[in-house]
Amino acid sequence: MAARCPQLSLVPLLLSLALPALATPQEAPHRRFEYKYSFKGPHLVQADGTVPFWVHTGNAIPSADQIRITTSLKSQKGSVWTKNKALFEHWEVEVTFRVTGRGRIGADGLAVWFTEEQGLEGPVFGAADKWNGVGVFFDSFDNDGKKNNPGVIVVGNNGKLLYDHQNDGATQALATCLRDFRNKPYPVRVKIAYYQKTLTVLVNNGFTPDKDDYELCAKVEDMQLPAQGYFGVSAATGGLADDHDVLSFLTFQLTEPGKEAPPADAEIPQKDKEKYQEEFEHFQQELDKKKEEFQKEHPDVQGQPADDFESVGDRELRQIFEGQNRVHLEIKQLHKQLDMILDEQRRYLTAVSEEMSAVADVLRSAGGAPEADQHFSDIKEHLHLVRRDIEHLAQRNPPPAEKPKCPELPPFPSCLSTLHFIIFTAVQTVLFVGYVMYRSQQEAAAKKFF
Ligand code: MAN
Ligand code: CA
Ligand code: CA
């Protein structure tokens, strides 16, 4: 028992020695997205062609979903830089880009920067030389012929070093890795973190759609970077050329666990105020310009007081509503007219059939012979049939309860007026009666003769 006690007392001691090694070496830092040091589609560019919080130079062309830093033309240079200096002790950037070109070999490459000053223009992948800070270069073209391009190299500079372009900065690199980042099926992604004086570069070289498929490419320890700096991306072409497109640049401020994250934008409040003021004024100017343009295009609304100003959308809605109202009224009017016409038609047909019956009655009372009687009853029956048909026709044409569309107006019977019809019937009847009387007279004469 006594022998085991010393052993037991060793356990806490061993545990206390082993635990720090067993525990994760580092708790992950707190990560805060910094929108003023970031850009991303799909509305990357503003109406005036600028990118909010960024400046672009040279041949760079921002569009809705990317910034083309260079097009694949010879000797192009372009860059894009944050407008403001970041004061982050630790940071991480995620840059998504594409380098594309028709040739098996392209040039010259793209650089991601954190520097004390904006390197707006120069010979180092389109940016200034003698930078103070760090550049991570995606160097496509093998200037020194060592067959080590395309590759990624990290070059630090204290503001004095001149970049050795002819040798791809071979002697100046703090770290390198061979990666082919050109013409990949998916965008290339790079994560560059500067945390506790260590710079790490992770690359997803766009072979798979998996966005998190990063591999460690380079690590530089004990690196001293400026406490404040600008983030930027630049690119250049030379005798050979590629398109260099940046799809997004996302910046995060990192804070060590347990340490309080600095309040957002506490650093440069005055500058921010000025910037917001500037942006507000710019917005106001844009609005005024739009109003002016609209009033020029639509002089009919000119002179309206500003408060009564009707937007293009409102105006269109109002016009559509008014148009629909007009159509509705027209349809109502057409239905009314149609009802009147049908009514008239019905009355007209009834009148005709009544007249025909009356004529038949007259004829019947006028005739005496049994043959004539037979004829009259035939005519009457026939007229009854006609009348029934007419009534049936009139019933089949009532004003429809639901009128999805206006039927075409039936042609007004212009060929047969009431008067014509009566005259025609009367003449026919007189002829017929005459014939019957003539026949019966002849028959009577014949009877007398025999
Ligand atoms: C030419 C020069 C170089 C450039 C290559 C590739 O040789 O412009 O500076 O690196 O083309 O573009
Ligand atoms: Ca090169
Ligand atoms: Ca090389």
Side-chain angles (χ1 to χ4, degrees), residues 75 106-108 141 143 165-166 237-241:
S75 306
D108 268 280
F141 187 75
N143 293 77
H165 172 72
Q166 296 313 320
T237 65
L240 291 178

Side-chain angles (χ1 to χ4, degrees), residues 247-307:
L247 283 75
S248 67
F249 193 112
L250 308 178
T251 298
F252 300 87
Q253 184 173 185
L254 304 178
T255 314
E256 289 170 318
K259 283 200 180 173
E260 208 179 306
D265 306 329
E267 321 87 81
I268 20 178
Q270 189 52 36
K271 205 173 169 189
D272 272 3
K273 262 191 214 164
E274 282 164 19
K275 203 173 58 52
Y276 283 133
Q277 184 65 29
E278 229 174 73
E279 271 167 23
F280 176 72
E281 277 165 16
H282 174 75
F283 175 72
Q284 198 71 41
Q285 279 171 8
E286 286 282 310
L287 196 71
D288 288 347
K289 240 192 273 169
K290 288 256 153 66
K291 272 187 188 178
E292 237 171 68
E293 273 169 26
F294 178 80
Q295 288 193 331
K296 244 182 238 165
E297 279 170 26
H298 307 268
D300 49 315
V301 290
Q302 223 162 19
Q304 281 192 25
D307 286 345

Side-chain angles (χ1 to χ4, degrees), residues 54-256:
W54 291 76
V55 281
H56 64 274
T57 66
N59 303 115
I61 310 164
S63 62
D65 48 12
Q66 65 172 37
I67 303 178
R68 177 152 287 182
I69 313 284
T70 75
T71 45
S72 47
L73 295 169
K74 283 184 182 182
S75 306
Q76 302 277 299
K77 279 176 190 170
S79 67
V80 56
W81 296 89
T82 59
K83 276 187 184 167
N84 298 314
K85 246 183 186 178
L87 290 119
F88 316 144
E89 193 184 351
H90 314 280
W91 49 261
E92 182 179 283
V93 294
E94 283 180 26
V95 191
T96 309
F97 63 88
R98 281 182 191 276
V99 178
T100 38
R102 286 173 177 222
R104 195 177 56 81
I105 300 170
D108 268 280
L110 176 137
V112 181
W113 301 94
F114 178 76
T115 54
E116 197 173 28
E117 298 302 329
Q118 298 165 322
L120 295 170
E121 206 268 329
V124 189
F125 299 95
D129 211 335
K130 292 190 174 179
W131 67 96
N132 184 6
V134 65
V136 178
F137 305 154
F138 292 80
D139 188 352
S140 309
F141 187 75
D142 194 7
N143 293 77
D144 60 0
K146 297 256 168 76
K147 298 189 177 10
N148 53 1
N149 294 87
V152 186
I153 78 163
V154 180
V155 181
N157 198 337
N158 58 3
K160 296 192 175 111
L161 187 80
L162 270 170
Y163 174 65
D164 185 3
H165 172 72
Q166 296 313 320
N167 294 300
D168 300 321
T171 59
Q172 303 165 326
L174 298 173
T176 60
C177 79
L178 265 179
R179 282 283 183 289
D180 187 3
F181 46 81
R182 293 181 68 244
N183 296 329
K184 290 290 166 273
Y186 301 95
V188 176
R189 293 164 189 275
V190 56
K191 249 186 210 184
I192 305 168
Y194 180 62
Y195 185 62
Q196 294 174 335
K197 307 266 177 289
T198 299
L199 188 95
T200 44
V201 179
L202 301 167
V203 176
N204 171 341
N205 72 345
F207 257 129
T208 65
D210 181 4
K211 292 177 179 174
D212 300 318
D213 188 15
Y214 283 99
E215 280 176 15
L216 181 69
C217 158
K219 190 171 193 170
V220 184
E221 286 177 331
D222 263 331
M223 191 169 193
Q224 192 63 51
L225 287 182
Q228 308 180 6
Y230 296 90
F231 292 101
V233 187
S234 69
T237 65
L240 291 178
D242 274 332
D243 284 325
H244 296 92
D245 299 325
V246 182
L247 283 75
S248 67
F249 193 112
L250 308 178
T251 298
F252 300 87
Q253 184 173 185
L254 304 178
T255 314
E256 289 170 318

